[in-house]
């Protein structure tokens, strides 16, 4: 039935004629949970010969969406969804701050005003691609990036914009933030389908830990020990693999030096106001880490210096005091950023490209290369999943352990028979390498107990492959001139003395230069 105003009314939904001649289909879809107003699904059909037929099809389709609850229930924007999601989401404080930073910097300026119902996989993937081209969303347009807002006289700091892509890891984090918020929107029936579940984020980056090598680790320790308390912190980071926040929150009551055990219970962080706070560890678990004798001695000395300072201040010791502190009485812990910045300055002075988290990588890689099983390494580091994270991050270093295993097997193989040719014996590269080392041993250049150069160093020096160098060392081992022990460098054998059995290497810094000055014990 047609009304005088040209509107065609039906029992459910309506089709009205616009002044342009187009038809607008309108279907009631409930009350908007955000605004509290009546919510309609609408679609405009261009004017034409088949407009009436197309409008009827659209009305039927929209009614089906409402009946099957596949329609968005609100016209709320993504900004409104994110605000509501942050109100109800149970997220760690540090995680929440990271989410808010990424939302405000990357998501809200671009997608915030878009209705949630209009988000789709194509929009999200285009958004991700743009971030991978330029984190500032410049759209390929040239402009000057000013450091000061408003009118000002430009200085050297006002430079032409240069595109810097956002890392694949950061884009993936943005994807999972959006996915979490949109999943909640589906649960609330704001939308019917989560578009982030259909969008494809960038591939995960290949883990590439860059720990300092043993020589650089020794340089770092020696430089840090100019301040013994700071040196003790760097030492503990290397030997336990603790995170910087866990070290900042460490208190004397968490140490049992008699049993040689460190308990990591809490982690320090800065809240949104820049105040120092504490929370659970990253994996919400406390872990007990065994300490080697040298590390126990380091901590005893650290505690002795703490007691000496308290005596000068005429104060009493408190087990709740922090182990590492910028205050004389250890009443306040370090800020995590302070640890990062101080270590960064130390590495820069030494010309080493490293960061504080690399000491955690150092602990893990040295343990793995020493033959410690992955589950034990994961337990010391606080990795979840029974070692899954450890395997994923440190897979490259497991390959190095596999090479060491191959070298150990080669050392136990009998020497390959040599075929004489015209009264002489052909010299293979590995035999030439063995001959050179044999001469150094027999002439006394290498004495019993001395370590041979690393296999990689031998291969580089003589221009041969690592496998060839392994065979040369294996030949000397078969002759009884060197001792090969798994996980260690080959050493010159003692005359007529059998190889000593392998020892357990608790101290991760064995063989490196330790602290430069003698110490006096101060018992805890």
């Amino acid at each position: 039935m047609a009304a005088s105003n040209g509107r065609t009314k039906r029992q459910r939904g309506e089709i009205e004629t616009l002044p342009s001649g187009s038809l607008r289909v309108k279907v009631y879809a409930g009350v908007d949970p955000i605004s509290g107003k009546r919510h309609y699904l609408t679609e405009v059909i261009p004017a034409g010969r088949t407009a009436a037929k197309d409008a009827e099809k659209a009305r039927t389709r929209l009614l089906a969406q409402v009946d099957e609850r596949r329609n968005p229930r609100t016209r709320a924007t993504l900004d409104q969804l994110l605000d509501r999601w942050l109100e109800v989401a149970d997220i760690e404080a540090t995680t929440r701050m990271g989410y808010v930073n990424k939302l405000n910097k990357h998501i809200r300026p671009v997608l915030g005003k878009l209705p949630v119902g209009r988000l789709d996989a194509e929009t999200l993937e285009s958004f991700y691609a743009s971030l991978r081209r330029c984190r500032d969303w410049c759209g390929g347009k040239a402009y000057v990036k000013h450091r000061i807002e408003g009118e000002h006289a430009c200085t050297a700091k006002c430079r032409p914009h240069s595109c810097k892509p956002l890392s694949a890891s950061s884009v993936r984090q943005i994807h999972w933030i959006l996915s979490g918020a949109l999943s909640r929107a589906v649960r609330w029936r704001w939308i019917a389908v989560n578009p982030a579940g259909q969008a494809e984020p960038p591939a995960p980056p290949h883990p590439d830990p860059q720990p300092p090598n043993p020589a650089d680790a020794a340089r770092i320790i020696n430089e840090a020990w100019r301040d013994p308390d700071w040196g003790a912190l760097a030492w503990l980071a290397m030997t336990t693999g603790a995170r910087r926040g866990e070290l900042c929150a460490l208190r004397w009551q968490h140490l049992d030096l008699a049993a040689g055990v460190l308990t990591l219970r809490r982690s320090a962080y800065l809240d949104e106001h820049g105040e120092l706070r504490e929370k659970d560890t990253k994996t919400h678990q406390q872990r007990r880490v065994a300490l080697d004798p040298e590390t126990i001695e380091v901590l005893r000395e650290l505690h002795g210096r703490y007691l000496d300072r308290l005596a000068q201040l005429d104060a009493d010791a408190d087990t709740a005091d922090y182990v590492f502190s910028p205050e004389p009485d250890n009443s306040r812990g370090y800020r995590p950023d302070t640890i990062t910045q101080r270590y960064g300055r130390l590495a820069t002075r030494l010309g080493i490209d490293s960061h504080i988290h690399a000491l955690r990588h150092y602990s893990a890689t040295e343990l793995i290369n020493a033959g410690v099983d992955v589950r034990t390494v994961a337990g010391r580091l606080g990795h979840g999943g029974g070692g899954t994270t450890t395997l994923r991050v440190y897979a490259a270093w497991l390959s190095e352990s596999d090479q060491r295993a191959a070298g150990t097997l080669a050392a136990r193989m009998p020497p390959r028979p040599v075929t004489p040719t015209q009264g002489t014996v052909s010299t293979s590269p590995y035999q030439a390498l063995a001959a050179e080392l044999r001469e150094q041993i027999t002439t006394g250049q290498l004495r019993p107990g001395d370590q041979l150069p690393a296999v990689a160093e031998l291969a580089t020096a003589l221009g041969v492959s690592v496998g060839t160098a392994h065979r040369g060392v294996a030949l000397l081992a078969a002759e009884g001139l060197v001792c090969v022990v798994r996980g260690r460098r080959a050493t010159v054998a003692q005359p007529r003395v059998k190889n000593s059995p392998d020892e357990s290497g608790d101290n991760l810094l064995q063989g490196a230069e330790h602290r430069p000055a003698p110490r006096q014990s101060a018992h805890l």
Side-chain angles (χ1 to χ4, degrees):
M1 177 178 179
S4 59
N5 60 359
R7 177 179 298 177
T8 303
K9 295 185 177 180
R10 287 174 171 76
Q11 185 177 1
R12 296 183 61 200
E14 57 186 24
I15 302 174
E16 58 182 343
T17 304
L18 302 177
S20 64
S22 300
L23 301 180
R24 179 166 61 192
V25 183
K26 189 175 181 181
V27 173
Y28 175 68
V31 177
D32 191 318
I34 301 299
S35 64
K37 298 179 180 180
R38 294 168 65 88
H39 175 49
Y40 291 91
L41 302 182
T42 61
E43 185 173 334
V44 177
I45 307 299
R49 190 173 53 184
T50 61
K53 184 177 180 181
D54 293 339
E56 183 61 30
K57 289 181 179 179
R59 188 186 71 86
T60 303
R61 183 177 67 254
L62 295 179
L63 285 173
Q65 290 182 12
V66 173
D67 292 340
E68 298 173 9
R69 295 186 176 182
R70 292 185 291 107
N71 62 294
R73 292 180 55 207
T74 177
R75 294 183 181 274
T77 63
L78 182 59
D79 272 343
Q80 292 173 306
L81 169 63
L82 294 174
D83 291 338
R84 178 64 178 144
W85 174 63
L86 289 173
E87 289 177 4
V88 301
D90 183 14
I91 309 173
E92 279 281 350
T94 51
T95 304
R96 178 182 293 271
M97 287 190 293
Y99 282 7
V100 170
N101 288 338
K102 287 184 172 59
L103 290 173
N104 294 339
K105 186 174 182 179
H106 299 296
I107 299 176
R108 292 185 188 271
V110 181
L111 302 178
K113 303 303 180 184
L114 193 67
V116 178
R118 289 184 56 190
L119 275 178
D120 54 21
E122 181 182 2
T123 301
L124 293 179
E125 290 182 359
S126 297
F127 173 60
Y128 301 154
S130 296
L131 290 177
R132 295 290 288 132
R133 287 192 294 269
C134 179
R135 66 180 65 192
D136 293 327
W137 194 266
C138 67
K141 298 179 181 179
Y143 67 95
V144 176
K145 193 171 185 179
H146 298 279
R147 293 297 183 93
I148 303 175
E149 298 291 339
E151 295 185 4
H152 65 280
C154 289
T155 64
K157 294 184 177 180
C158 299
R159 301 175 182 176
H161 166 71
S162 177
C163 291
K164 294 181 180 179
L166 198 63
S167 68
S169 177
S170 295
V171 176
R172 285 179 62 84
Q173 291 175 28
I174 288 173
H175 170 78
W176 296 121
I177 293 172
L178 286 172
S179 180
L182 293 169
S183 293
R184 192 66 63 96
V186 173
R187 192 180 311 163
W188 294 337
R189 288 189 54 223
W190 287 22
I191 52 178
V193 179
N194 182 352
Q198 301 171 336
E200 183 177 357
H206 180 69
D208 185 23
Q210 296 292 333
N213 57 46
D216 286 343
R219 292 173 61 202
I220 290 169
I221 287 296
N222 283 317
E223 179 67 18
W225 224 272
R226 294 177 183 272
D227 176 356
D229 289 3
W230 170 242
L233 188 150
W235 181 281
L236 197 64
M238 284 187 179
T239 55
T240 64
R243 300 178 178 90
R244 63 171 191 169
E246 294 168 344
L247 292 173
C248 291
L250 189 62
R251 301 173 187 261
W252 289 114
Q253 62 191 8
H254 299 151
L255 288 171
D256 184 353
L257 298 185
V261 175
L262 164 68
T263 303
L264 297 171
R265 299 174 180 270
R266 307 287 289 170
S267 180
Y269 74 98
L270 296 179
D271 63 16
E272 61 271 17
H273 304 296
E275 297 294 329
L276 191 63
R277 298 279 187 259
E278 290 188 12
K279 63 179 184 64
D280 290 341
T281 60
K282 185 175 181 179
T283 53
H284 307 285
Q285 61 179 354
Q286 68 175 30
R287 63 185 190 276
R288 295 163 59 86
V289 180
L291 303 175
D292 61 273
E294 190 72 11
T295 300
I296 293 175
E297 188 64 22
V298 168
L299 293 173
R300 288 189 187 278
E301 293 176 8
L302 180 66
H303 189 260
R305 292 191 293 272
Y306 158 71
L307 293 179
D308 290 342
R309 290 194 300 271
L310 290 182
Q312 296 175 11
L313 297 171
D314 194 22
D316 296 328
D318 188 346
T319 57
D321 285 343
Y322 290 91
V323 175
F324 303 107
S325 170
E327 302 295 337
D329 59 354
N330 287 41
S331 59
R332 176 173 61 89
Y334 274 112
R335 295 162 66 97
D337 288 346
T338 301
I339 301 296
T340 299
Q341 294 163 8
R342 185 171 182 179
Y343 180 86
R345 292 192 297 269
L346 182 150
T348 300
R349 288 198 304 271
L350 297 176
I352 299 173
D353 183 13
S354 181
H355 50 82
I356 187 66
H357 200 72
L359 301 186
R360 180 171 166 84
H361 295 323
Y362 174 85
S363 179
T365 53
E366 289 300 308
L367 287 171
I368 289 175
N369 288 335
V372 179
D373 66 279
V374 174
R375 289 183 64 88
T376 300
V377 176
R380 288 180 68 89
L381 297 179
H383 284 162
T388 303
T389 302
T390 311
L391 281 171
R392 186 182 73 252
V393 176
Y394 299 102
W397 296 94
L398 290 173
S399 298
E400 180 175 334
S401 297
D402 187 57
Q403 292 177 3
R404 289 174 180 261
T408 302
L409 179 61
R412 298 180 180 276
M413 292 291 291
R416 185 170 62 87
V418 179
T419 304
T421 303
Q422 296 181 352
T424 62
V425 177
S426 62
T427 303
S428 299
Y430 81 93
Q431 292 174 324
L433 182 147
E436 183 171 341
L437 293 176
R438 190 185 298 111
E439 181 179 357
Q440 294 181 23
I441 294 173
T442 55
T443 59
Q445 298 179 43
L446 290 174
R447 299 180 180 180
D450 288 351
Q451 288 186 342
L452 297 185
V455 173
E457 295 175 2
L458 291 173
T460 302
L462 297 178
V464 298
S465 67
V466 174
T468 299
H470 274 305
R471 293 185 63 187
V473 175
L475 181 57
L476 294 177
E479 296 173 4
L481 294 177
V482 299
C483 297
V484 178
V485 179
R486 181 180 181 183
R488 299 190 180 185
R489 290 187 181 182
T491 58
V492 179
Q494 297 286 346
R496 296 182 299 276
V497 177
K498 295 182 180 180
N499 295 347
S500 60
D502 190 10
E503 300 174 358
S504 60
D506 291 333
N507 188 357
L508 297 180
L509 300 178
Q510 269 186 340
E513 298 180 29
H514 291 211
R515 289 161 285 163
R519 309 182 307 275
Q520 295 181 351
S521 298
H523 296 284
L524 175 58

